[in-house]
Amino acid sequence: TYYNIETREKLFNEDPINVPAGYTKEVPPQPQEGYVIKYENLVWQQIPDLDLMKTAKLRQVENEWQETVKQGWTTPYGWKLGISSEDVSLLSANFLLAKEAASIGITDPVFIIDTDGESHEFNLQDLTMLMLQYGQARAILSSQDAAKRKAIKNATSIEELNNL
């Protein structure tokens, strides 16, 4: 069995004496994330690739962000609100509607559903405070995530990337 030094594909050749051009008998290693495999100086080598490592690191940050979204935000009341884009949109729309209702004299309570499906009743003043806290917390989380992603994209060396 021979292995193509460019594609690492197997070639079955019954002639053990004549190695086809561009092939070797050496078994290539399994590629590691962030590395390219090359056949140089008669051996397989795993060479780090900055772009591949950035992609792997960005995938890790995305997984961390998804976990953050899954955890939600704990309110000062001890229950959690979702922080996905959809959650932000729904809560913002709910708040906007409550403000509009108040502007025309409707002072009915506003209900917020937490991540456990429990309903919580608010007047507009308390809802405003909660929404300000929620917005600030979500903005901080988003900016931290964006800063991580930007640092990864702007890394110019593998050492710099590894230090992030």
Side-chain angles (χ1 to χ4, degrees):
T1 303
Y2 297 93
Y3 298 89
N4 183 294
I5 62 174
E6 295 294 324
T7 65
R8 297 182 304 282
E9 292 178 5
K10 284 184 181 182
L11 170 72
F12 295 101
N13 183 356
E14 296 185 16
D15 184 357
I17 297 173
N18 296 317
V19 177
Y23 286 82
T24 180
K25 284 189 163 198
E26 304 294 324
V27 177
Q30 291 296 319
Q32 292 180 349
E33 191 172 46
Y35 290 80
V36 292
I37 298 174
K38 292 191 176 189
Y39 190 76
E40 296 178 342
N41 301 322
L42 302 177
V43 295
W44 290 106
Q45 297 182 8
Q46 294 204 46
I47 302 168
D49 180 276
L50 182 60
D51 289 332
L52 292 176
M53 288 188 159
K54 283 182 179 184
T55 300
K57 193 86 158 180
L58 286 168
R59 193 171 20 258
Q60 177 185 353
V61 169
E62 177 60 25
N63 290 340
E64 290 169 1
W65 174 250
Q66 292 305 320
E67 185 58 32
T68 298
V69 168
K70 183 178 171 185
Q71 293 299 315
W73 174 68
T74 303
T75 69
Y77 305 103
W79 39 269
K80 291 186 176 189
L81 289 174
I83 60 170
S84 70
S85 296
E86 295 83 8
D87 294 322
V88 172
S89 294
L90 288 170
L91 285 166
S92 297
N94 191 19
F95 178 63
L96 182 62
L97 289 172
K99 283 181 66 172
E100 286 296 316
S103 74
I104 60 171
I106 300 173
T107 58
D108 293 345
V110 178
F111 295 91
I112 300 289
I113 309 300
D114 68 22
T115 57
D116 290 329
E118 297 292 323
S119 180
H120 304 275
E121 182 178 327
F122 285 89
N123 61 37
L124 183 58
Q125 183 178 355
D126 291 340
L127 179 61
T128 299
M129 287 305 300
L130 180 67
M131 289 303 293
L132 289 171
Q133 293 166 331
Y134 176 78
Q136 182 180 20
R138 179 59 162 80
I140 289 169
L141 291 171
S142 294
S143 67
Q144 290 170 341
D145 178 69
K148 286 180 191 177
R149 292 172 193 263
K150 182 178 181 181
I152 291 167
K153 290 175 183 176
N154 291 340
T156 57
S157 70
I158 292 169
E159 294 76 26
E160 181 182 358
L161 188 63
N162 287 337
N163 289 327
L164 297 176

